Amino acid sequence: MSPESDQPVEYFFNTRTKMVEKGRQSSWEHLLGPYPSYEEAAGALEIAKARNEQWEDDDDRWRNES
């Protein structure tokens, strides 16, 4: 938690700069997150890729069942 507030610190991955930001520092259009840790934010692209592949697999499964 941040010492100045009761809110937990959030981390974001900036898709334009390819950098992790502590707190929202950039426009939402360039951010993935929030993530609870720096490490998770640093892996944002891999997380997004895995989720997209899972969604595609789910879509394929639903299409094949009809």
Side-chain angles (χ1 to χ4, degrees), residues 38-57:
Y38 179 95
E39 292 77 17
E40 285 185 72
L45 293 177
E46 290 81 18
I47 292 169
K49 180 181 176 188
R51 287 180 180 163
N52 286 343
E53 289 171 354
Q54 181 181 5
W55 290 333
E56 287 174 7
D57 290 346

Side-chain angles (χ1 to χ4, degrees):
M1 289 213 195
S2 171
E4 59 274 350
S5 75
D6 292 335
Q7 297 295 319
V9 175
E10 295 177 326
Y11 296 86
F12 297 85
F13 182 79
N14 186 313
T15 58
R16 186 174 48 85
T17 65
K18 309 293 190 245
M19 303 283 294
V20 173
E21 299 179 0
K22 184 176 180 180
R24 189 176 71 83
Q25 300 174 24
S26 300
S27 170
W28 285 112
E29 67 185 322
H30 300 294
L31 298 180
L32 296 176
Y35 295 94
S37 70
Y38 179 95
E39 292 77 17
E40 285 185 72
L45 293 177
E46 290 81 18
I47 292 169
K49 180 181 176 188
R51 287 180 180 163
N52 286 343
E53 289 171 354
Q54 181 181 5
W55 290 333
E56 287 174 7
D57 290 346
D58 286 348
D59 285 346
D60 289 343
R61 189 189 80 205
W62 286 106
R63 272 182 262 174
N64 292 333
E65 288 182 4
S66 16

